[in-house]
Amino acid sequence: MNALARVFSSRFRLALLTIGLVVALMPAAFAAFSADRRPDAVWQGVRIYRDIAYGPRGDAPGEGEGYKSAATGKHPDGRSFHTHRTGQFFDVLVGEKTGFRSDSPVYVNLHGGAWCQPFDKDGESFDFMKMLVDRGFVVVNANYQLQNDVTDADRALSCRPHAAFCDMLRDIDDLGTFLKNDFLPCVGIKSRKCAIGGGSAGAHLVMLYAYDQDNPTVLNLGLRHDFRVGFVVDVVGPVDLASRDFSAPFLEHQLPFGSLFNEWAVDRLAILLGFLVEDDLSARIKRGDVEGVRKILAKYSPINLVTPKTVPTILAYCQLFPFAKTDGCVPTSSYYDLCRRLKEAGVPYEGDIRTFHLHGTGFMTWIADCVAEFERKGYLK
């Protein structure tokens, strides 16, 4: 009995010692993590330059008031960019040892989140961006106008609520202009083209933007495309908003939780397409004019912008299980339909769909390798 008590006593003391060490080291570990994530920090061999402002963003009549604020973005060498009307920022990630080179390839990353979730500065996309930095890229991680009613805290990083697709695309256009004319010359990068990619909602936007470059008559937004896109990366992006696979839950009232949720989704969709909630689009949806609304959705569907001049595309999708029609968020038909359309148009592409994976998970290394391979093929020349 005494021997058993000694054993338990020994284990108890070891457990207490372990807990004590963890508690004692937690503040130091947290401080180290916070210090590495501070602005202009080095994290895992990646130097991060924070909160560089871009803009200005112009207003378009009938498409909402622009978010107006004065902001100063810190340049990596200590100089400042000052913009008079912007609420937009980006971070730059570059290798600690390699730094900026005149021939550094540039990758622009746009976050996802159903066109409404805030800018993810250090989330799960960091691992992917680090992979690109390790392969020699300078990565620009940018935010854009969001569609949701953001809080005051979110507004500091995001922008005004109720942005439509056209607003988001104009933000990407402003970002490209600022990179080409201001930021890249200041750090000595002479790249003529960039790669641009995103996940989910971000993928939808970058495809629209990249495909509009050589086929501007569909969207007809007058985007400048000052910084040309060499190729685009689509990670689980919806490519055909008008397809029944994607739009039936919104248009045919198949969403869960009853009519209240359906009406909320319909109103959000109307705003994304550039209509006010009280305008005719929302009313048309609610009275059952499904086919009429699908024609409007088709305008903002990347698949309908594909031509033989479309830029090369990397596309990666997920599938919950064999024969599943979704990854839990985006229909798998997006992958097959876009592959077919790119092949018919003779556009170079590389695609993969992974089974037993949730929305946007499971193949970041493969995507990073494809990005590096497309750069080696000269698509950014």
Side-chain angles (χ1 to χ4, degrees):
M1 191 71 174
N2 289 336
L4 185 62
R6 285 196 299 272
V7 170
F8 278 105
S9 177
S10 173
R11 289 181 176 176
F12 182 70
R13 287 197 300 270
L14 180 61
L16 282 179
L17 178 61
T18 302
I19 293 171
L21 285 171
V22 170
V23 171
L25 291 174
M26 277 182 65
F30 180 77
F33 180 85
S34 300
D36 279 340
R37 292 297 180 102
R38 70 183 186 276
D40 302 336
V42 176
W43 177 251
Q44 297 182 6
V46 178
R47 183 163 292 280
I48 307 170
Y49 300 102
R50 302 287 198 192
D51 297 337
I52 302 170
Y54 73 84
R57 179 186 173 277
D59 295 333
E63 292 169 357
E65 296 180 3
Y67 184 83
K68 301 174 183 178
S69 67
T72 300
K74 184 182 294 184
H75 184 276
D77 67 7
R79 288 173 289 172
S80 292
F81 292 112
H82 183 74
T83 56
H84 298 285
R85 294 171 60 237
T86 181
Q88 302 306 85
F89 298 87
F90 63 89
D91 294 346
V92 175
L93 291 77
V94 63
E96 179 186 10
K97 296 181 179 179
T98 57
F100 298 106
R101 308 185 315 271
S102 62
D103 61 347
S104 293
V106 178
Y107 185 96
V108 177
N109 183 68
L110 266 69
H111 65 87
W115 305 283
C116 68
Q117 293 181 10
F119 185 32
D120 177 19
K121 297 174 77 64
D122 294 311
E124 60 186 19
S125 61
F126 177 83
D127 291 337
F128 171 64
M129 291 187 289
K130 183 182 184 304
M131 291 178 189
L132 294 178
V133 169
D134 290 343
R135 287 160 175 78
F137 281 80
V138 170
V139 179
V140 174
N141 188 30
N143 70 347
Y144 51 90
Q145 296 283 315
L146 297 176
Q147 190 270 327
N148 64 331
D149 295 315
V150 295
T151 65
D152 289 340
D154 291 332
R155 193 170 284 110
L157 292 177
S158 307
C159 261
R160 66 178 181 82
H162 297 322
F165 289 143
C166 56
D167 299 312
M168 302 172 189
L169 291 167
R170 289 191 178 102
D171 277 355
I172 301 171
D173 205 37
D174 286 340
L175 172 66
T177 297
F178 182 79
L179 289 174
K180 181 178 184 294
N181 295 340
D182 293 271
F183 182 78
L184 295 182
C186 283
V187 296
I189 295 177
K190 298 180 180 179
S191 298
R192 295 176 57 250
K193 295 181 180 180
C194 69
I196 188 169
S200 194
H204 167 256
L205 293 173
V206 298
M207 281 189 288
L208 284 177
Y209 185 74
Y211 294 172
D212 176 82
Q213 178 173 273
D214 295 301
N215 185 18
T217 57
V218 177
L219 297 178
N220 198 28
L221 296 177
L223 302 177
R224 300 179 301 274
H225 295 285
D226 291 328
F227 196 9
R228 304 289 290 178
V229 173
F231 63 88
V232 64
V233 180
D234 158 31
V235 183
V236 296
V239 302
D240 189 356
L241 304 188
S243 70
R244 193 175 185 281
D245 286 344
F246 183 84
S247 62
F250 296 96
L251 304 186
E252 299 175 22
H253 296 281
Q254 295 181 11
L255 287 169
F257 314 124
S259 61
L260 179 64
F261 191 79
N262 281 312
E263 290 187 8
W264 174 88
V266 164
D267 290 343
R268 294 285 180 174
L269 181 62
I271 293 168
L272 283 168
L273 292 171
F275 291 80
L276 298 175
V277 175
E278 299 81 5
D279 213 326
D280 62 346
L281 178 68
S282 186
R284 287 168 66 178
I285 294 174
K286 291 174 181 177
R287 70 171 180 259
D289 183 13
V290 174
E291 294 309 313
V293 173
R294 281 205 174 106
K295 291 179 181 179
I296 303 173
L297 287 168
K299 174 180 177 179
Y300 287 99
S301 296
I303 196 168
N304 293 324
L305 277 69
V306 173
T307 73
K309 295 182 178 180
T310 293
V311 298
T313 302
I314 297 168
L315 55 158
Y317 284 82
C318 301
Q319 189 174 29
L320 289 177
F321 52 84
F323 309 111
K325 293 185 176 181
T326 179
D327 62 5
C329 195
V330 168
T332 55
S333 59
S334 292
Y335 172 76
Y336 297 107
D337 291 346
L338 184 56
C339 283
R340 181 171 59 253
R341 184 65 61 87
L342 292 170
K343 185 176 181 179
E344 290 171 352
V347 176
Y349 74 93
E350 190 71 39
D352 192 14
I353 185 167
R354 301 285 175 94
T355 307
F356 298 116
H357 285 280
L358 290 170
H359 184 65
T361 62
F363 39 36
M364 292 305 166
T365 302
W366 178 83
I367 299 170
D369 287 340
C370 286
V371 170
E373 179 62 25
F374 273 37
E375 192 270 333
R376 285 192 293 269
K377 288 181 177 180
Y379 292 143
L380 297 183
K381 300 296 184 183

